[in-house]
Each structure stands twice: as structure tokens, then as C-alpha cells.
Amino acid sequence: MGSSSTTLRRLKLGKLKIVRRRLLQHYEHQPFISLLAGLYSCRWKRYQRQKTEPGQCCCKWKESVFFLLLVVAFCLALVFVYFWGEAKNDYNDFDWYSYRGLGYWFLWSLLILVVVAVLFTYIAILVVLAVCLLSEGQRLYLHWSHKGGMLFVLIFFTAALAVLSNLWGEEWAAVRLSFQVTAPYLHIGSLAAMILLSWPVALYFVRMNTKLFQTLIITPYIAVLLVLIFLPLGMYSPCIKEKGTLGAKPLLIGHRGSPMFAPENTKMSFEKTIDYEGDGLETDVTISYDGIPFLMHDSTLKRTTNAGDVFPNYTNVNAALLPWDMLEILNAGKWFTQKPPFSYMESLTDEEEQTAMNQSIYKLIDLLRLADRAKKMVIFDLYRPPQDHPYRDTWINRTLEVINEAAIDPKLVLWLSNDMRSFVQSVNPGLQQTLGFKASIEELVSSHIVKLNLPYNEMSERDISEYAAANITTNLYVISEPWLFSLAWCSGAHSVTTNSVHTLKKMEEPMFLLTPDQYSLMWILTDVVSALLIILVFVLHWWRERGLPCCPESSEVPDSGFYNTFKTEMDMSISEDSYVRSLPTTPSARPSTQNMGSGEIA
């Protein structure tokens, strides 16, 4: 008798534990699904949701179309976000192009970045909600407000990609180059996303009753997965190198000085480059109406001086048409604090800010003397004066005179202008002849070219290596982002022109540097682990949907007829509860309590 009482007590105790556990599992999970459905469909009440049954699709055909459009919008947004993220190196160029077209300065690049981040976050949240609902076996009903938002995002990013491809198509070269250093890590991220997607894919694959629907679900998933698994076979990166084969760190040439710390092309800007141990100075040279070469990038004085206040009638006049006595009284620094040229400016002390606001237009001869004292290279774009200028045909001669007058070591001057090159070599053979475009090695050698000055989007490890074999070094411009500098370093570039001497000077080695063995190990491990996890997810769903035992419910309760009867009643109770909760709440539509027992609905 005592033994029977003990056994009965244990059964009741085990039964209560199972009831508690199953009720907690059932009801604690409902708020999560309610939150998902509420955010995605604005269906916060439980009875408004519908669960997909075996053999059913995730949604009606109209909702399927909107789900596909949602995925397309997310993909376009992802492409644009990556594009704009990799374009950060050239934000200043984008803003300058906009200024040239609109006539006033504004950080459009920063505004676009903020708008893109907000829209991408919104569409990404919708996609995550949809995937989570599919993983829970819920039917999709995208709310009309989200449908409108999704269509807006789709149109916005389609138009944005089309416009930028038309107006700034060369920037796609930066995206292509970025894959050379980020592809191994994008490969890992893509496979991680495929692992997460395997849960809803496996769920609906197992639940489908027909081979056709199973094939439609699994075929695109397997195709994309196989492409990602074998994609590393076609990857190339200059930063995958054997140890000991990496070349010397490229020299750093300050682009118009240090334009993140001081107004471009001013004395303070170049002194900052020297302070940060830059190896060279880059600038732009224009010749005044009375023959004084000075530093100015824009054709007019509007953006970088106070000419609008001092000489309002000359704001849009070519700067070369003004004499030096007018140019030297202009302030070339106040604009720097009023209209910052970069969205990610470096902070200045009060003293540095005051110094920056009191800069003047800098003469070429002063820059050459500064570079000679500091033993820094100098490279400059020399602008030919406009029509009716006194030095229209003698601007080369006048510039050479100033170089000789400055008494700078000619080996420090990288002569870039391709006009009258033979004459320049005869007058000053010590200048380092530099060319601004690619040419055959035979042509370069015959013209005594010792350096190429190329835009970074023309970067090629093979070309750089071939030129170096002929003792012709390569300078790439303008490179300010660490990832792009790392790529130039791995490619063997001799020097780079940069806005970020202070940042790149601190780098001890390239980012993303891997040996072939490390890369192979990372690739193989990623593929194997992802394949095993995806197979595990499919097997788990196959187990669950077919009701096969995966693990014991509880070790405390024996497998008795009494327990099985209780378990059946428990399941029926939960099912009935779910059924009642799923019915409408209006009084006329609710079932009659009397008729519930007889199976009739009032």
C-alpha cells in the first residue's frame, strides 16, 4: 500500500511538472510571435494570426509578390549601402562635383549616408521580421503602410543606383577593388546568412506535400549555396601573400597638405604634413596675371577665400586673371571652419583654429623652399592660364624660373606636366620626370619617365610590378581609407597621395593580410561548418515534422498508460484552447457554450 501511494505521488508530481513545463513553453512563446506579427502585419491580437499547415505555402499569391519585392528592395539597398560605404574615400570629390554643379558647398555625401542608413535599417528590419515569422510557421501579411514604405525604398535605391552609375560610374572601380580585400570576409558573412535562412527553407521544404513545390523551394537555395561554397576558387587578393614577400610601405604624399587639419594649399596645411612625417607635398599651381605662381585648386576664388566679401565682382572670375597684389590680401582660411570640406574632420585646439582662420594664399616659391628645408618631395598640377593671359604661352618657362629661384634640390621635384617635356629636361635635367597616365615601358624609358602618377582605380599589381622592373615607380592618388591603402601596399605601390597622412602613418602592416595557408584554412573551415549546420537544420525539421522521437520528454515519469493518456489529454486541451482563442471576439460569432458539448455552432 505504501509503495503504491509513493508511486502515485511520484506520477502526480511528474505530471504537474510536465503540465507546468508544457504550459510555460506554450504561453511564454506567444508574446514573441505576437511581437513579430504586430510589427510586420500590425496584427497584435492572437486570433488574427494564421499558422501555415503542412502542404501550405507561406502566404497568398499577392503576399508572395510583396515578399519577393521586399527581398528585391533589400538586395538593392544592400548593394547601395556597400557601394556608398566603399565610396567614403571619395566623399570629398563627390561634394566638390556637387559644388561645381550647384554653386554652393554642402556635405551631400553625409546627407546621403544618413538617408541610406535609415532606409536600409527599415527594410532590413522588415526582412528579418518576415524570416522570423516564416521560421515560426506563420503566414505573412505585410501591412499596407509597410507595403508603401517598401515600394518607396525600392524606387529610391533603383533611382539612386541609376543616377550614380550615370554621373559617377567610375566609383564602381572602388567597389571592384574592395572585393580584393573584403571578399574572404564577405564569404563568411554570406554563408552565415545562408545558415540562418536554412531554418525557414527547411521547414517549408519538409512540410510541402508535392515534389514540385519542394523543388521550387530547394533549388534556388542550393544553387546560391553551391556558388558561395566554391566562390573562393575564383577570388584574388594581392593581400594573400607568403611571409616575407610584402614590399616596403608606400611613401605618403599630403594631398594639398593636410586638408583635415588645415585649409588646403596653405602654409599651415603643408606644415601639418611635415609634422606628421609625411614624405611629400602635393598641390595645384596657377599663375597670376603678373606672373606669380601660386597655389589654388579651383579655377575661381569663391570656395576657398573671402573674395566674395573683398572683391564681390571677381568672385566667379578665373583666379589667374587677378594680379598678386589683389590675391595676397585675401583670407584663405576662414572658409575652413565655416564650411568644413570633410564630414569626418579632425578636431583642432583653439590656437590651431585661430591659425587656420588667418591663412593667406601661398606662393609656389614659398612651398618649394619649405619642402627643401624639410627634404620633402613636391608634385604639382600646373594649370595653363586662360586666353588673353600674358603668360598663356610661357607658363612653363615662368614655373621653371621659380624652381631655379627657390634653389630646391631638383631631385625633390616630380615634374608632372606633359607639355614641353623635352624643353623642361633640357633646362633642368635633374627634375624627376613624372607621367599622369599609363604608357608602354619603351615609351616611358625613351621619355626619361621615372614615376607614374595614376588614379587609384587604375591600380594593378601586375602593371606596378612590370613598371618597377624597369625602375619606374608608381604613385596612386587619392587614397585616404586604410583598406585602400592596404591594397596599394600589397600591390607594390611606391607612394600614395592622401588626405590622411596622420592616419596612414600609424599603420604597421596592411589590413586583411593573409598567407595562402591561412586563407585556405579559413575557406575550408567556413564551408565545412556551414554545410554541417545546414544539414543539421534540415534533419531536425525532418524529425520534428514526422513526429520521430529526438530525446525523452522526462526521465522522472515512467512510460505508462496513465502517462500517455494524460499526455493525449494535455495536447487536446492545448489544441482546444488555441482553437477558442483563434475565433472572432464579436458576440454573434462566438460559439454557444451549450452547443459546444453537442458539437453545434450557434
Side-chain angles (χ1 to χ4, degrees):
M1 186 68 178
S3 177
S4 300
S5 300
T6 303
T7 303
L8 182 60
R9 193 179 300 110
R10 288 180 178 176
L11 283 173
K12 289 182 178 180
L13 182 60
K15 181 170 67 174
L16 290 174
K17 287 183 177 179
I18 293 173
V19 170
R20 185 174 180 273
R21 184 174 71 248
R22 288 179 62 85
L23 287 175
L24 286 176
Q25 289 175 350
H26 181 71
Y27 289 104
E28 285 183 354
H29 196 55
Q30 294 307 315
F32 173 69
I33 299 178
S34 297
L35 179 63
L36 295 178
L39 293 175
Y40 187 82
S41 310
C42 290
R43 296 187 172 191
W44 296 95
K45 295 182 179 180
R46 180 179 168 189
Y47 68 83
Q48 292 180 324
R49 301 195 308 270
Q50 291 186 18
K51 195 174 181 70
T52 57
E53 299 299 331
Q56 290 184 343
C57 294
C58 64
C59 41
K60 298 178 181 179
W61 71 268
K62 289 184 179 180
E63 290 298 327
S64 298
V65 171
F66 279 108
F67 176 68
L68 290 176
L69 290 176
L70 180 64
V71 173
V72 172
F74 172 76
C75 292
L76 287 175
L78 184 63
V79 170
F80 192 90
V81 165
Y82 186 82
F83 171 88
W84 202 247
E86 299 308 310
K88 182 182 177 184
N89 184 82
D90 302 322
Y91 281 179
N92 183 254
D93 290 341
F94 179 83
D95 293 332
W96 192 83
Y97 293 148
S98 302
Y99 164 77
R100 189 171 59 179
L102 299 174
Y104 62 93
W105 184 262
F106 186 77
L107 294 176
W108 295 105
S109 58
L110 180 61
L111 177 63
I112 292 175
L113 181 64
V114 172
V115 172
V116 166
V118 171
L119 293 180
F120 175 75
T121 302
Y122 169 70
I123 205 72
I125 290 174
L126 287 182
V127 170
V128 170
L129 290 173
V131 172
C132 290
L133 286 170
L134 291 175
S135 301
E136 292 294 335
Q138 299 291 319
R139 304 198 71 171
L140 297 182
Y141 294 95
L142 186 63
H143 193 257
W144 65 266
S145 61
H146 289 324
K147 290 175 181 176
M150 177 267 296
L151 291 175
F152 173 79
V153 172
L154 182 63
I155 294 171
F156 175 85
F157 282 110
T158 301
L161 286 171
V163 170
L164 283 179
S165 296
N166 182 45
L167 300 180
W168 207 24
E170 65 271 15
E171 195 61 27
W172 285 107
V175 176
R176 175 180 56 81
L177 290 174
S178 72
F179 287 142
Q180 295 184 10
V181 292
T182 61
Y185 306 93
L186 292 176
H187 174 242
I188 296 175
S190 300
L191 285 177
M194 294 301 289
I195 294 172
L196 296 176
L197 287 175
S198 67
W199 190 269
V201 170
L203 174 65
Y204 284 90
F205 173 77
V206 173
R207 283 189 170 189
M208 286 299 148
N209 296 328
T210 63
K211 296 292 184 182
L212 176 61
F213 283 108
Q214 286 184 325
T215 303
L216 291 176
I217 290 173
I218 200 64
T219 299
Y221 180 81
I222 294 297
V224 173
L225 182 62
L226 290 176
V227 169
L228 292 176
I229 286 176
F230 293 104
L231 189 62
L233 291 174
M235 288 181 183
Y236 161 76
S237 173
C239 288
I240 299 177
K241 290 180 174 292
E242 295 286 358
K243 288 185 178 180
T245 60
L246 180 67
K249 182 178 179 179
L251 302 179
L252 301 175
I253 300 176
H255 182 232
R256 307 175 202 168
S258 294
M260 293 186 186
F261 283 97
E264 64 184 52
N265 285 328
T266 61
K267 179 182 180 181
M268 178 184 180
S269 187
F270 296 113
E271 288 178 339
K272 281 290 185 182
T273 303
I274 295 172
D275 292 341
Y276 285 107
E277 300 181 353
D279 303 290
L281 310 172
E282 186 274 346
T283 188
D284 313 275
V285 176
T286 298
I287 298 180
S288 69
Y289 197 77
D290 51 353
I292 304 297
F294 65 96
L295 311 186
M296 181 66 58
H297 173 264
D298 299 7
S299 59
T300 69
L301 302 167
K302 181 179 179 180
R303 180 174 69 93
T304 58
T305 72
N306 63 339
D309 298 328
V310 181
F311 306 118
N313 295 330
Y314 293 93
T315 301
N316 295 314
V317 173
N318 193 304
L321 296 177
L322 298 179
W324 179 249
D325 60 353
M326 293 179 65
L327 295 170
E328 66 178 346
I329 65 175
L330 294 175
N331 183 292
K334 286 184 178 180
W335 69 274
F336 183 73
T337 55
Q338 296 170 352
K339 299 178 180 178
F342 297 91
S343 57
Y344 42 98
M345 298 284 292
E346 300 294 335
S347 59
L348 302 178
T349 64
D350 292 340
E351 183 180 353
E352 288 174 330
E353 188 170 334
Q354 286 298 318
T355 303
M357 294 177 64
N358 288 285
Q359 294 298 298
S360 303
I361 296 177
Y362 208 38
K363 292 195 291 186
L364 174 63
I365 191 169
D366 294 330
L367 172 66
L368 295 175
R369 288 169 176 167
L370 176 65
D372 187 57
R373 290 195 299 270
K375 302 302 177 185
K376 304 297 181 183
M377 297 182 295
V378 175
I379 182 172
F380 54 86
D381 284 312
L382 180 59
Y383 299 151
R384 187 177 185 181
Q387 294 288 345
D388 301 327
H389 192 284
Y391 292 87
R392 167 73 178 178
D393 298 320
T394 57
W395 86 107
I396 297 290
N397 309 62
R398 180 64 188 128
T399 305
L400 291 173
E401 290 174 1
V402 170
I403 292 175
N404 292 333
E405 185 180 349
I408 185 176
D409 183 354
K411 292 182 180 180
L412 294 176
V413 179
L414 306 177
W415 183 265
L416 183 58
S417 177
N418 202 40
D419 295 291
M420 303 171 59
R421 193 176 290 276
S422 299
F423 171 74
V424 173
Q425 289 177 345
S426 63
V427 172
N428 196 335
L431 299 178
Q432 303 297 300
Q433 295 298 320
T434 306
L435 190 64
F437 53 87
K438 288 183 179 181
S440 66
I441 293 178
E442 292 75 14
E443 291 176 314
L444 298 176
V445 171
S446 63
S447 300
H448 305 286
I449 302 297
V450 297
K451 182 181 281 291
L452 289 176
N453 185 52
L454 303 174
Y456 75 82
N457 54 25
E458 296 185 15
M459 186 189 314
S460 167
E461 183 182 21
R462 184 183 65 181
D463 291 345
I464 292 174
S465 177
E466 291 178 355
Y467 288 132
N471 294 321
I472 300 171
T473 59
T474 303
N475 179 70
L476 300 172
Y477 67 90
V478 173
I479 292 177
S480 300
E481 290 297 301
W483 72 265
L484 194 53
F485 178 69
S486 299
L487 190 60
W489 189 347
C490 295
S491 298
H494 178 262
S495 59
V496 301
T497 301
T498 178
N499 295 318
S500 305
V501 171
H502 60 291
T503 299
L504 304 185
K505 195 68 179 181
K506 300 175 183 177
M507 293 181 61
E508 300 294 334
E509 66 175 22
M511 300 170 62
F512 312 111
L513 185 62
L514 295 171
T515 66
D517 290 339
Q518 290 173 334
Y519 172 64
S520 299
L521 179 62
M522 183 173 70
W523 166 38
I524 294 171
L525 277 178
T526 301
D527 286 351
V528 170
V529 171
S530 60
L532 290 176
L533 289 175
I534 290 172
I535 291 172
L536 180 62
V537 169
F538 273 81
V539 170
L540 179 61
H541 277 295
W542 183 77
W543 248 326
R544 290 178 59 188
E545 293 301 316
R546 279 157 179 74
L548 298 177
C550 178
C551 52
E553 283 286 335
S554 174
S555 58
E556 297 181 11
V557 182
D559 187 12
S560 62
F562 176 80
Y563 170 72
N564 290 335
T565 301
F566 165 76
K567 188 176 185 300
T568 302
E569 292 176 353
M570 185 66 202
D571 290 339
M572 290 177 63
S573 175
I574 292 177
S575 300
E576 183 177 312
D577 177 71
S578 300
Y579 170 74
V580 172
R581 288 176 177 268
S582 65
L583 291 174
T585 56
T586 54
S588 61
R590 291 186 64 85
S592 171
T593 308
Q594 289 180 332
N595 295 333
M596 284 286 288
S598 60
E600 297 179 3
I601 305 296

